[in-house]
Amino acid sequence: MSPKITTELLKQLRQVMKSPKYVQEPIQAYIVPSGDAHQSEYMAPCDCRRAFISGFDGSAGTAIVTEQHAAMWTDGRYFLQAAHQMDNNWTLMRMGLKDTPTQEDWLVSVLPEGSKVGVDPFIIPADQWKSMSKALRSAGHDLVPVKENLIDTIWTDCPQRPCKPLIPLDLSYTGVSWRDKIVALRSKMAERKVLWFVVTALDEVAWLFNLRGSDVEYNPVFFAYAVIGMNTIRLFIDGDRIMDPAVREHLQLDSTLEPEFKIHVMPYGSILSELQAVGAGLSPKEKVWLSDKASYALTEAVPKAYRYLTLYTPICIAKAVKNASETEGMRRAHIKDAVALCELFNWLEQEVPKGTVTEIIAADKAEEFRSQQKDFVELSFATISSTGPNGAIIHYTPVPETNRTLSVNEIYLLDSGAQYKDGTTDVTRTMHFGTPSAYEKECFTYVLKGHIAVSAAIFPNGTKGHLLDSFARSALWDCGLDYLHGTGHGVGSFLNVHEGPCGISYKTFADEPLEAGMIVSDEPGYYEDGSFGIRIENVVLVVPAETKYNFKNRGSLTFEPLTLVPIQTKMIDVNLLTQKECNWVNSYHQKCREVVGAELERQGRQEALRWLTRETEPLVKVQ
Amino acid sequence: MSPKITTELLKQLRQVMKSPKYVQEPIQAYIVPSGDAHQSEYMAPCDCRRAFISGFDGSAGTAIVTEQHAAMWTDGRYFLQAAHQMDNNWTLMRMGLKDTPTQEDWLVSVLPEGSKVGVDPFIIPADQWKSMSKALRSAGHDLVPVKENLIDTIWTDCPQRPCKPLIPLDLSYTGVSWRDKIVALRSKMAERKVLWFVVTALDEVAWLFNLRGSDVEYNPVFFAYAVIGMNTIRLFIDGDRIMDPAVREHLQLDSTLEPEFKIHVMPYGSILSELQAVGAGLSPKEKVWLSDKASYALTEAVPKAYRYLTLYTPICIAKAVKNASETEGMRRAHIKDAVALCELFNWLEQEVPKGTVTEIIAADKAEEFRSQQKDFVELSFATISSTGPNGAIIHYTPVPETNRTLSVNEIYLLDSGAQYKDGTTDVTRTMHFGTPSAYEKECFTYVLKGHIAVSAAIFPNGTKGHLLDSFARSALWDCGLDYLHGTGHGVGSFLNVHEGPCGISYKTFADEPLEAGMIVSDEPGYYEDGSFGIRIENVVLVVPAETKYNFKNRGSLTFEPLTLVPIQTKMIDVNLLTQKECNWVNSYHQKCREVVGAELERQGRQEALRWLTRETEPLVKVQ
């Protein structure tokens, strides 16, 4: 990796920062966050502005350019990568270290008195604008919105915003029509006494209209906004994709409909003016509901007195609770995914000893097997295929410079998943193709105990996921081990592999209670820097539990694993398992064998079936 | 309980609400919160203004009186009690029920346009003022501070503010002199770049100066404020108690001292004007540190730009971490407390079958035995002595109307504690003096498993207590049982039995990480409405743990029980315990027998010693 030379680019940026063409008054600093206008986790190439200006393309980072300085804030995962990718024009601000200033403090320390700091109001969420603006104002500076994105003005070969075809999903996948989703949304709006709801997150637009796209890699979404009134529906979307007859039919664009279900399609770029028009027409007590993560630009379009902001939107909460059709789809997707992984692991077992399989080859092979499955669309995130010391880098993705060959002497960790038309998968298995050491088995077994503790946990209705996080750590803690990431995240249904509002983490305090139908991951791990990484991840469905006393009819919940891929028993030290844990593994493997075995049989994959049968032999615990 | 007749009182209050003698303009509503000027949990009688005006004397409640209405907000614990104690003038607002309006919403619904709502600015914390004021302003009303407390103006026989003698604690109890505490505090102030610190919580004043008092029942504190500058110390306290030679000597009031350690004693009532003078003399960047729970009056005395507010003060955090002298004192106190309880339980065993012991008699007897111990000062809270169905009322205290006779057919729950000069205790034991049912034993054993899971937990440095809460519930959850209170609270050292900033609760999100030297309670329970209550509570000390891999030198923690009172083995279903849990009980009982046994022996309490020896016989688990 050689750093990107940014001298000329920064010169150009500093020119437009003073150009009356773009700014009313010259600005002394320009902030380039890593987000897009929808606060997405994954970016389309045209939105990777921070990477363009700096060269640093990690997933998290904020650049600030002043007349004299250029600085980049990022976290511990990316210190090394950012240092490699950026040239001398840039100062790396290592977040989390004691002496690293905050963006606000740094700005105050370098700016001349009474400076103006610019930012694209579509990219910065309203809550971040608020705190940044307050900090700058108290030091005598101003945060100002710059309408035209200044990076775009100097990015001559900026890729086009993607505008790929839409995929309508019928009822067999979604279980609920978009009309019924609108009805439910309006009833939530009525409950909160709001007249308008603005849909800004891409997966929320996709979910609401039962449409999918491919504008962003790994995320089956498309660039659009929606504004839902009590009697109107406006969908802001570009391109001729809306002219596709299947899409028109799906959205009933050419049918005679009751006016309240008539969708008005408008250009993507007209959201701001339309929302301003809505805002201007409001009378007292008429509120507009927005996520408090929506952009400053859209939030400001609604006069403050009329805004109703919440952390989670009603769509986010409804989307998290999967209905029967979605759950069945997720089950099917996970069975197909398991078939692909049985094929892969069987293949790896034969190929790894030859010394010819690299991390990249293994990742490609996993994709190849997945792509053979029905309704496969794409991967759900960049495959983490890591062996030996690379496994200890939690967010590793193999690239040619780091690509390592799998061997019978190292632990191999594969965290991968796919988008199928019927569901989204995300699974991690940790394998050894030779003979693991006693220490490796010990660590693996503690991680497994944690995985089981969460998966088998029974808890009353109303419990939030963060209350389960310590269950995943208890066995590790007892021996003085831990892992520095959360235990689980929400998973979409043929949607984003990470979604709110639920999760299992020591960090998340604003999570919503777990409910039957929610789907999360259960993925404790252990990482030994410089040697190996272990993680065991299933996607699990929240289901009602049966208990002896049933919480005085408050009811209770537990998890059912959707992922059905064997956990390598070679890595387990059976002596460290309780009988109950041992039984859990055996009954899990029994289910893998039955359910995935039947599908392997059906698909005529005899070799993989033999592998599955061998890998699901019951553990025997010597009493 | 007959209700208090409040017609005349309310008439008088409504008169002073319009009297120019007390208010600049008439106010249309007056709020009477239950707090004092220090946000204390326990009140002195002169501060029980809400109880005086309404008759309702539960620990939590807010009264609001308008020209037409009088309403009382309280929570589920007190619905019955409040309904009994208040006459028809009052409307009970049952908090937590769906249809109950918030105070703000109710005020907005009943007040004429442009109303003024008054409150004593010393009683309302700044953060509550802020939210209440905002809500009223947005509806066109004003929250106004009323300097003179209007209840006091009509409370003709209001008791005097207590002004009891002070108890100086020497180094053998405190471990650190008040001078060294001031030095440490000033260094924290320098770190945060603040010039002044205002001590408003009573236990913080007491801790800082190594003084105790008895102005408030159960809490060895005294009414005072302090303002600490980098070179000055001001102590605001009334009465001639400061003339006591021992106190003068302790505070070195008559010695020649470096000016920065000279304590300026000022009248309690002069805090506001002194703080205003401090505020007026500040120049930019000179900050004053206050708790964000400090009263609106004191917070407002400092201009907004100069305020530095934090949830926990540096004193609160320092006070929570007990030093070696405090820890040793706590150990001694708990041994003495165990002696008293061995005596009590031995006595109960003999007396209960006679049918002559009521809850009140048992509570009194517990106090009698405790008062025989060295350095006993008073109880640390009102004893919860409850049998049968009364045990299911979590915050029960026996009164003649509810007083029940202990019997061999019911479970007895005793939650009690004391203040000794060397430490504070708080212990709950649940006993059966006959033969418990299988179901009672089952529930007790789950609670015990939860108690052990927390007590024996090992966790890395930096872990917050709320991450341990689910450990206490897991065994109950597995069978569909739960309890609706937190698992533990911080405990003071000869100070308040409840203190921040640490705890173990599903509710507490703002707790500080646990540190070696902190002391918390571990008290899971189970309550069966109308039948029985079970709780097992030890006070435990956070201590370093030894683990196999030691968290890569991050270090780890666990708990050491300070409470050493046998857990009734008759109530345990040994078959439900794991071998590890069984060993925990046996080694705990072994320690009770050794440590408390030696003290019983020394005090010549042979009968209680025999009881202890019998009650600490090891459990035997049939394999």
Side-chain angles (χ1 to χ4, degrees):
Chain A
M1 279 191 269
S2 58
K4 175 165 183 168
I5 306 303
T6 60
T7 310
E8 186 52 34
L9 282 177
L10 288 172
K11 200 175 136 197
Q12 289 172 13
L13 177 60
R14 284 168 181 141
Q15 271 163 3
V16 295
M17 283 164 59
K18 286 180 289 193
S19 158
K21 194 170 158 196
Y22 303 114
V23 290
Q24 284 190 314
E25 284 183 77
I27 57 172
Q28 284 70 47
Y30 188 63
I31 305 177
V32 188
S34 51
D36 67 7
H38 305 269
Q39 293 70 54
S40 307
E41 185 187 1
Y42 290 78
M43 299 294 116
C46 62
D47 285 320
C48 297
R49 300 181 178 95
R50 185 251 303 150
F52 167 76
I53 191 68
S54 68
F56 166 55
D57 66 1
S59 74
T62 299
I64 303 185
V65 177
T66 69
E67 286 158 322
Q68 309 285 338
H69 307 273
M72 175 70 68
W73 281 257
T74 191
D75 63 63
R77 291 174 292 169
Y78 294 117
F79 290 167
L80 225 59
Q81 179 181 339
H84 278 143
Q85 293 184 321
M86 299 193 305
D87 70 8
N88 286 336
N89 290 301
W90 291 84
T91 306
L92 178 58
M93 297 295 187
R94 295 174 171 82
M95 288 164 70
L97 301 195
K98 263 197 179 164
D99 294 334
T100 304
T102 63
Q103 293 162 28
E104 291 87 343
D105 285 348
W106 181 79
L107 277 168
V108 169
S109 74
V110 302
L111 287 177
E113 256 179 63
S115 286
K116 298 207 177 301
V117 178
V119 68
D120 180 343
F122 269 98
I123 304 300
I124 188 167
D127 55 352
Q128 277 178 36
W129 170 285
K130 203 173 158 185
S131 61
M132 172 68 81
S133 171
K134 195 177 160 190
L136 290 176
R137 203 167 41 238
S138 81
H141 308 296
D142 263 332
L143 185 64
V144 297
V146 180
K147 277 186 192 158
E148 192 138 357
N149 191 292
L150 296 187
I151 302 297
D152 294 356
T153 66
I154 59 168
W155 193 352
T156 45
D157 57 347
C158 174
Q160 285 263 308
R161 182 162 301 280
C163 197
K164 306 267 184 67
L166 301 178
I167 310 166
L169 288 186
D170 66 35
L171 268 183
S172 69
Y173 292 107
T174 66
V176 180
S177 70
W178 63 260
R179 274 181 66 136
D180 287 344
K181 287 181 179 180
I182 296 272
V183 170
L185 173 61
R186 284 182 176 145
S187 119
K188 287 279 169 203
M189 290 161 61
E191 255 176 41
R192 309 289 183 102
K193 295 182 183 138
V194 302
L195 284 191
W196 298 90
F197 180 81
V198 186
V199 197
T200 55
L202 298 185
D203 63 335
E204 297 192 11
V205 179
W207 179 87
L208 182 61
F209 291 103
N210 291 334
L211 287 171
R212 297 295 185 269
S214 54
D215 288 356
V216 180
E217 198 179 9
Y218 308 127
N219 297 256
V221 296
F222 52 92
F223 284 101
Y225 292 102
V227 175
I228 312 299
M230 295 309 277
N231 299 303
T232 63
I233 304 172
R234 296 178 205 173
L235 176 61
F236 300 82
I237 185 168
D238 275 348
D240 52 7
R241 49 190 172 180
I242 214 77
M243 300 312 291
D244 176 341
V247 173
R248 297 194 75 79
E249 167 74 25
H250 174 80
L251 294 178
Q252 300 182 262
L253 293 180
D254 305 310
S255 318
T256 321
L257 277 178
E258 309 92 297
E260 67 266 35
F261 293 112
K262 181 89 196 154
I263 298 177
H264 300 270
V265 178
M266 299 179 154
Y268 177 70
S270 68
I271 174 76
L272 186 63
S273 55
E274 283 296 322
L275 197 53
Q276 281 164 338
V278 164
L282 295 171
S283 38
K285 297 212 172 176
E286 293 186 346
K287 298 261 182 190
V288 179
W289 195 342
L290 290 138
S291 160
D292 69 3
K293 297 267 166 259
S295 67
Y296 175 72
L298 294 192
T299 309
E300 277 301 294
V302 179
K304 199 169 172 188
Y306 302 129
R307 279 178 222 156
Y308 179 72
L309 304 180
T310 56
L311 179 56
Y312 298 115
T313 69
I315 296 186
C316 173
I317 292 169
K319 173 165 62 63
V321 182
K322 274 71 179 172
N323 60 42
S325 307
E326 290 170 322
T327 305
E328 279 318 302
M330 286 294 268
R331 278 189 219 282
R332 284 196 307 273
H334 279 84
I335 294 167
K336 293 181 287 187
D337 212 53
V339 165
L341 285 190
C342 289
E343 284 281 12
L344 176 75
F345 290 134
N346 175 53
W347 180 84
L348 285 176
E349 241 180 47
Q350 294 163 33
E351 300 299 318
V352 167
K354 302 178 188 163
T356 52
V357 183
T358 64
E359 294 167 340
I360 293 178
I361 290 174
D364 290 346
K365 200 73 189 173
E367 182 165 3
E368 182 190 323
F369 283 123
R370 283 190 162 109
S371 68
Q372 295 165 1
Q373 294 300 312
K374 187 175 168 239
D375 277 347
F376 170 85
V377 179
E378 61 173 334
L379 299 186
S380 56
F381 56 97
T383 299
I384 299 176
S385 169
S386 54
T387 185
N390 287 343
I393 303 167
I394 296 171
H395 289 92
Y396 177 81
T397 313
V399 288
E401 291 82 357
T402 61
N403 194 18
R404 209 175 158 87
T405 302
L406 277 64
S407 89
V408 294
N409 302 313
E410 286 183 349
I411 290 182
Y412 175 64
L413 184 158
L414 179 75
D415 186 351
S416 61
Q419 299 287 1
Y420 302 89
K421 227 176 134 182
D422 39 13
T424 303
T425 66
D426 179 0
V427 47
T428 309
R429 287 296 179 266
T430 305
M431 320 280 285
H432 203 295
F433 299 105
T435 307
S437 73
Y439 178 60
E440 288 167 338
K441 288 172 69 174
E442 184 186 357
C443 295
F444 183 94
T445 309
Y446 297 146
V447 173
L448 176 63
K449 286 166 84 80
H451 179 93
I452 298 171
V454 169
S455 197
I458 290 172
F459 46 93
N461 270 330
T463 301
K464 294 184 170 192
H466 70 258
L467 291 170
L468 309 179
D469 184 74
S470 299
F471 289 157
R473 298 175 200 274
S474 182
L476 286 162
W477 282 357
D478 278 347
C479 290
L481 304 175
D482 195 14
Y483 55 97
L484 298 179
H485 59 74
T487 301
H489 55 80
V491 179
S493 176
F494 184 29
L495 261 180
N496 297 357
V497 74
H498 295 160
E499 68 168 29
C502 56
I504 302 174
S505 174
Y506 64 99
K507 286 178 291 191
T508 311
F509 296 133
D511 55 334
E512 290 282 306
L514 293 169
E515 270 182 61
M518 284 181 168
I519 293 180
V520 295
S521 69
D522 169 14
E523 47 179 315
Y526 175 68
Y527 309 91
E528 186 106 349
D529 277 351
S531 349
F532 63 82
I534 291 166
R535 186 160 63 250
I536 303 172
E537 175 187 23
N538 280 353
V539 167
V540 296
L541 171 70
V542 183
V543 293
E546 304 228 330
T547 59
K548 198 167 171 187
Y549 300 118
N550 200 31
F551 296 92
K552 297 169 184 164
N553 295 322
R554 189 170 151 208
S556 62
L557 300 169
T558 185
F559 298 110
E560 175 200 326
L562 295 179
T563 304
L564 292 173
V565 178
I567 294 162
Q568 198 178 38
T569 50
K570 184 203 278 185
M571 288 290 292
I572 301 174
D573 181 344
V574 185
N575 296 319
L576 296 176
L577 295 185
T578 64
Q579 189 58 53
K580 224 169 137 184
E581 289 162 342
C582 208
N583 296 345
W584 186 94
V585 172
N586 289 341
S587 96
Y588 177 70
H589 277 161
Q590 175 69 21
K591 189 168 175 192
C592 292
R593 188 188 278 199
E594 284 171 15
V595 176
V596 181
E599 181 65 16
L600 283 167
E601 185 77 56
R602 207 187 58 75
Q603 296 192 15
R605 297 174 183 269
Q606 292 303 330
E607 213 182 320
L609 176 57
R610 276 192 296 277
W611 179 88
L612 171 68
T613 308
R614 201 193 67 224
E615 286 293 307
T616 51
E617 280 298 313
L619 292 175
V620 180
K621 192 172 155 61
V622 183
Q623 293 289 327
Chain B
M1 279 191 271
S2 58
K4 174 164 181 168
I5 305 303
T6 59
T7 310
E8 187 52 36
L9 281 177
L10 287 171
K11 199 175 137 199
Q12 290 172 12
L13 177 60
R14 285 169 178 139
Q15 273 164 0
V16 294
M17 282 164 60
K18 287 180 285 192
S19 158
K21 193 171 159 197
Y22 304 114
V23 289
Q24 283 188 315
E25 286 182 77
I27 57 174
Q28 284 70 46
Y30 188 63
I31 306 176
V32 188
S34 50
D36 68 8
H38 305 268
Q39 292 70 55
S40 308
E41 185 187 0
Y42 291 78
M43 300 292 116
C46 61
D47 286 319
C48 298
R49 300 179 179 99
R50 184 251 303 149
F52 167 76
I53 190 67
S54 69
F56 166 54
D57 66 1
S59 74
T62 298
I64 304 186
V65 177
T66 69
E67 286 158 322
Q68 310 285 337
H69 306 273
M72 173 71 67
W73 281 257
T74 191
D75 63 63
R77 290 174 293 170
Y78 295 116
F79 291 167
L80 226 59
Q81 181 181 337
H84 279 142
Q85 294 183 322
M86 299 193 305
D87 69 8
N88 286 337
N89 290 300
W90 290 85
T91 307
L92 178 57
M93 297 295 187
R94 295 173 171 83
M95 288 164 70
L97 301 195
K98 263 196 178 165
D99 294 333
T100 304
T102 63
Q103 292 162 28
E104 290 87 342
D105 286 349
W106 180 80
L107 277 168
V108 169
S109 74
V110 302
L111 287 178
E113 256 179 63
S115 286
K116 298 207 176 302
V117 178
V119 67
D120 180 341
F122 270 98
I123 303 300
I124 189 167
D127 55 350
Q128 275 179 38
W129 171 284
K130 203 173 157 185
S131 61
M132 171 67 83
S133 172
K134 196 177 159 187
L136 289 177
R137 203 166 43 237
S138 81
H141 307 296
D142 264 331
L143 186 63
V144 296
V146 180
K147 277 186 192 158
E148 193 138 359
N149 191 293
L150 297 187
I151 302 297
D152 294 356
T153 66
I154 60 169
W155 194 351
T156 44
D157 57 347
C158 175
Q160 284 265 306
R161 181 162 302 279
C163 197
K164 304 267 185 67
L166 302 178
I167 309 166
L169 288 186
D170 66 36
L171 268 183
S172 68
Y173 292 106
T174 66
V176 179
S177 69
W178 62 260
R179 275 181 65 137
D180 287 344
K181 288 181 178 179
I182 296 272
V183 170
L185 173 61
R186 284 181 176 147
S187 120
K188 287 279 169 205
M189 289 161 61
E191 255 176 42
R192 309 287 184 106
K193 296 183 181 137
V194 303
L195 285 189
W196 299 90
F197 180 83
V198 186
V199 197
T200 54
L202 297 185
D203 63 336
E204 297 192 11
V205 179
W207 179 87
L208 182 61
F209 292 102
N210 291 334
L211 287 171
R212 297 295 185 268
S214 53
D215 288 356
V216 180
E217 198 179 10
Y218 308 127
N219 296 257
V221 296
F222 51 93
F223 285 100
Y225 292 103
V227 175
I228 312 299
M230 294 309 277
N231 299 302
T232 62
I233 303 172
R234 296 178 205 174
L235 176 62
F236 300 82
I237 184 168
D238 275 348
D240 52 7
R241 48 191 173 179
I242 213 74
M243 300 311 292
D244 176 340
V247 173
R248 298 195 73 78
E249 167 73 25
H250 174 80
L251 295 178
Q252 298 182 264
L253 292 180
D254 306 311
S255 318
T256 320
L257 277 180
E258 308 93 296
E260 67 265 34
F261 294 112
K262 182 88 195 152
I263 298 176
H264 300 270
V265 178
M266 300 179 152
Y268 177 72
S270 68
I271 173 76
L272 186 62
S273 54
E274 284 296 321
L275 197 53
Q276 282 164 338
V278 164
L282 295 173
S283 38
K285 300 212 170 175
E286 293 186 345
K287 299 260 182 191
V288 180
W289 195 343
L290 290 138
S291 160
D292 69 3
K293 296 265 166 262
S295 68
Y296 174 73
L298 293 192
T299 309
E300 277 300 296
V302 179
K304 200 171 172 186
Y306 302 129
R307 280 177 221 157
Y308 179 73
L309 304 181
T310 57
L311 178 56
Y312 298 116
T313 70
I315 296 185
C316 173
I317 293 170
K319 173 165 63 62
V321 182
K322 275 70 179 174
N323 59 42
S325 306
E326 290 171 322
T327 306
E328 279 319 301
M330 286 294 268
R331 278 187 219 282
R332 284 196 307 272
H334 280 83
I335 295 167
K336 292 183 288 189
D337 212 53
V339 164
L341 285 190
C342 289
E343 285 281 12
L344 175 76
F345 291 133
N346 175 53
W347 180 84
L348 285 176
E349 241 180 47
Q350 294 162 35
E351 300 299 318
V352 167
K354 301 177 188 162
T356 53
V357 183
T358 63
E359 294 167 339
I360 293 178
I361 290 173
D364 290 346
K365 199 74 188 174
E367 181 166 5
E368 181 190 324
F369 283 123
R370 284 190 161 106
S371 68
Q372 294 164 3
Q373 295 299 313
K374 188 176 167 234
D375 278 346
F376 171 86
V377 179
E378 60 173 332
L379 298 186
S380 56
F381 56 97
T383 298
I384 300 176
S385 169
S386 55
T387 185
N390 287 342
I393 303 165
I394 297 172
H395 289 92
Y396 178 82
T397 313
V399 289
E401 291 83 354
T402 62
N403 195 17
R404 209 172 158 88
T405 301
L406 278 63
S407 89
V408 294
N409 303 314
E410 287 183 349
I411 290 182
Y412 175 63
L413 184 158
L414 180 74
D415 185 351
S416 62
Q419 300 286 1
Y420 301 89
K421 226 178 136 183
D422 39 13
T424 303
T425 66
D426 180 0
V427 46
T428 310
R429 287 296 179 266
T430 305
M431 319 279 286
H432 203 294
F433 299 105
T435 306
S437 73
Y439 178 61
E440 289 168 337
K441 287 173 69 174
E442 184 186 358
C443 295
F444 183 93
T445 308
Y446 297 146
V447 173
L448 176 61
K449 286 167 84 80
H451 179 93
I452 297 171
V454 169
S455 198
I458 290 173
F459 47 93
N461 270 329
T463 301
K464 294 184 171 193
H466 69 259
L467 291 171
L468 309 179
D469 184 75
S470 298
F471 289 157
R473 298 176 200 273
S474 182
L476 286 162
W477 281 358
D478 278 347
C479 290
L481 304 175
D482 194 15
Y483 55 96
L484 297 179
H485 59 73
T487 301
H489 54 80
V491 179
S493 176
F494 184 28
L495 260 179
N496 297 357
V497 74
H498 295 159
E499 67 169 28
C502 56
I504 302 174
S505 174
Y506 64 99
K507 286 178 290 189
T508 312
F509 296 133
D511 54 334
E512 289 283 306
L514 293 169
E515 271 182 61
M518 285 181 166
I519 293 179
V520 296
S521 69
D522 169 13
E523 46 179 316
Y526 175 69
Y527 309 91
E528 187 107 348
D529 277 351
S531 345
F532 62 83
I534 291 167
R535 187 159 62 248
I536 303 173
E537 175 186 25
N538 280 353
V539 168
V540 296
L541 172 69
V542 183
V543 293
E546 305 229 329
T547 59
K548 198 167 170 188
Y549 300 117
N550 200 31
F551 296 92
K552 298 170 184 163
N553 296 321
R554 189 170 152 208
S556 61
L557 300 169
T558 186
F559 298 110
E560 176 199 325
L562 296 178
T563 305
L564 293 172
V565 178
I567 294 163
Q568 198 178 38
T569 50
K570 182 203 281 187
M571 287 291 291
I572 301 174
D573 180 344
V574 185
N575 296 320
L576 296 176
L577 294 185
T578 64
Q579 190 56 55
K580 224 169 133 183
E581 289 163 343
C582 209
N583 296 346
W584 185 94
V585 172
N586 289 341
S587 96
Y588 177 70
H589 278 161
Q590 176 67 20
K591 189 168 174 190
C592 293
R593 189 188 278 196
E594 283 171 17
V595 177
V596 181
E599 181 65 17
L600 283 166
E601 184 78 58
R602 208 188 57 75
Q603 295 191 17
R605 297 173 182 271
Q606 292 305 331
E607 214 182 321
L609 178 57
R610 274 193 297 278
W611 179 88
L612 172 68
T613 307
R614 200 193 68 222
E615 287 292 307
T616 52
E617 279 298 315
L619 292 176
V620 180
K621 191 172 157 59
V622 182
Q623 294 288 327

